[in-house]
Amino acid sequence: AIHDIAAINNIYVFFSSTSFISYAFITFVFIQTLIVARQQEKSNKAVIRLSESLSNANKSYSRFVPKEILTLLNKNSLKDISVGDWTSKKVTLLCFDIKHFTSWAENTEPKIIFNTLNRILKEISPIVREHEGFIEKYLGDGIIAIFPEKGYLAFDCALKIQEKLKELRQDSQKNNLIEISGGIGIHYGKIVLGTVGTTERLRQITVSKEIETVIKLETLTRVVDIDIITSRSAFEQWVKSTDFEIEVLKPEITYQIGIPEIAYGIKGKIQVVKG
C-alpha cells in the first residue's frame, strides 16, 4: 500500500508501473484462509479426541452399570441418572451359582480362585446376552440376570449354560481343578429397580422379594439334585408343557425353604422328530 501511494505521487520505490496492493490483498486472503483451515482442522481433531474419550468413558462405565439399566430407567446416558430414579416392571429373573465353590476356595490359592471364577463367568456372560438378558449383579461365584421382555429365552439360556458347564467340567478335570457344576433358578415377578446413595457416589439396586425367591430356587437345586428349577409363575407365563422334560416338585419341599408356590425341575428340552 505504501509503495502504491508513493507511485501515485511519482515516488518510485521499486517499479514505476506496478501496483502491489491487489496482489497483496490476494496473498492476505490466501494466508488467512490457510490459517482458518488449520485452526478448523485442529478444532475437528479436538472434537474427535473428546468424542473418543467420552465413548471410551461410557464403555468403561457400562462395565459397572449395564446399558440396559439406563433403558429401564428411561435415561440416555449415565450423566442423566440422579439419586432416587426408579422404575417398576415385571421381568424374568435367572440366578446361577457355582456348586461347592466356597468350600473349594477355602483351600485354594487366591490366584487359582479368581482365574477359575473369571473363566466360568467369561463363558456364561455372552450366553446371557445372546438370549437378550443382562447380568444385573454378581453374587461372588454367581449371578442374577434379568430378561426384561422375552422371558422364554431365559429357559433356553439356562440349558445353554449347563451345556457350557459340561465343556468346562471336562477341562477342569484334566487340570485337577474344581469339578465345575452349577444350579440355576428361574422366576417371574415384579421388581423395583433404582438408584440409591449420594451425588458423590451412586449405586443401582434392585429391591424385590422376587430376588429372594429366585435365589431360593437356585439353592433348591442342591436339595433335589436337579440343575434347573423354575417357579410356577415363570413356567406358566412362558413355557408350554410340551416344550421341556419337567418334574413337578413336591410342595413340602418348596415350602420348606420358603417358596410359596409349586416349582418345576427342568431336565431338558423335548426333541420333536417329524416323519
Side-chain angles (χ1 to χ4, degrees):
I2 294 172
H3 171 274
D4 289 357
I5 292 170
I8 292 172
N9 292 279
N10 296 318
I11 301 172
Y12 304 114
V13 180
F14 298 112
F15 305 101
S16 59
S17 60
T18 302
S19 173
F20 285 135
I21 195 164
S22 56
Y23 298 106
F25 178 74
I26 293 172
T27 304
F28 171 78
V29 171
F30 178 72
I31 292 173
Q32 288 298 313
T33 302
L34 290 178
I35 293 172
V36 171
R38 178 61 177 165
Q39 292 299 324
Q40 185 66 33
E41 182 184 9
K42 289 182 178 179
S43 298
N44 289 339
K45 287 182 178 179
V47 170
I48 291 171
R49 285 196 297 269
L50 179 59
S51 177
E52 290 176 348
S53 177
L54 290 173
S55 176
N56 291 333
N58 283 331
K59 288 179 180 178
S60 296
Y61 290 140
S62 66
R63 295 164 66 189
F64 297 94
V65 181
K67 63 180 183 297
E68 291 85 357
I69 297 292
L70 299 179
T71 302
L72 290 175
L73 291 173
N74 198 27
K75 302 294 182 181
N76 295 320
S77 67
L78 287 171
K79 65 182 179 62
D80 298 326
I81 293 181
S82 303
V83 178
D85 288 338
W86 67 276
T87 187
S88 180
K89 181 180 177 62
K90 277 195 168 185
V91 299
T92 304
L93 299 166
L94 182 149
C95 177
F96 163 78
D97 193 74
I98 305 170
K99 294 181 179 179
H100 314 301
F101 188 85
T102 302
S103 57
W104 171 78
E106 289 176 353
N107 301 308
T108 306
E109 294 180 11
K111 182 179 180 180
I112 297 176
I113 293 172
F114 278 91
N115 286 344
T116 303
L117 179 58
N118 285 321
R119 180 166 176 253
I120 296 171
L121 296 178
K122 181 181 178 182
E123 296 290 343
I124 289 174
S125 297
I127 298 175
V128 174
R129 290 194 299 271
E130 288 166 7
H131 291 82
E132 301 186 29
F134 69 94
I135 296 176
E136 191 268 336
K137 63 167 64 74
Y138 289 93
L139 303 172
D141 57 334
I143 62 169
I144 296 289
I146 294 178
F147 296 78
E149 302 297 337
K150 301 176 181 179
Y152 60 87
L153 292 176
F155 293 86
D156 289 333
C157 177
L159 291 173
K160 289 290 183 182
I161 289 175
Q162 292 298 344
E163 289 178 8
K164 179 59 66 175
L165 290 178
K166 289 180 182 179
E167 297 176 12
L168 294 173
R169 185 158 53 243
Q170 293 174 355
D171 291 340
S172 295
Q173 288 172 347
K174 293 177 183 178
N175 297 310
N176 296 319
L177 296 175
I178 181 175
E179 185 175 334
I180 297 172
S181 62
I184 297 175
I186 302 174
H187 183 51
Y188 178 75
K190 182 179 284 188
I191 62 169
V192 178
L193 184 147
T195 57
V196 296
T198 66
T199 54
E200 289 78 22
R201 183 176 180 183
L202 286 173
R203 183 178 178 184
Q204 167 267 317
I205 66 168
T206 303
V207 181
S208 174
K209 65 180 179 63
E210 314 301 347
I211 298 289
E212 295 180 17
T213 299
V214 76
I215 292 174
K216 289 177 180 178
L217 286 166
E218 186 282 320
T219 303
L220 190 58
T221 62
R222 305 157 198 269
V223 177
V224 297
D225 196 28
I226 297 176
D227 291 333
I228 305 171
I229 295 178
T230 176
S231 65
R232 180 170 61 183
S233 57
F235 187 83
E236 292 182 349
Q237 177 69 23
W238 299 115
V239 178
K240 296 177 182 178
S241 59
T242 55
D243 286 345
F244 298 95
E245 295 180 50
I246 64 169
E247 178 180 331
V248 181
L249 304 183
K250 295 179 180 179
E252 54 266 29
I253 297 176
T254 57
Y255 295 160
Q256 186 177 356
I257 64 170
I259 301 176
E261 59 178 283
I262 295 174
Y264 301 88
I266 304 293
K267 294 186 172 182
K269 199 160 188 176
I270 294 176
Q271 301 295 322
V272 178
V273 180
K274 296 182 179 179

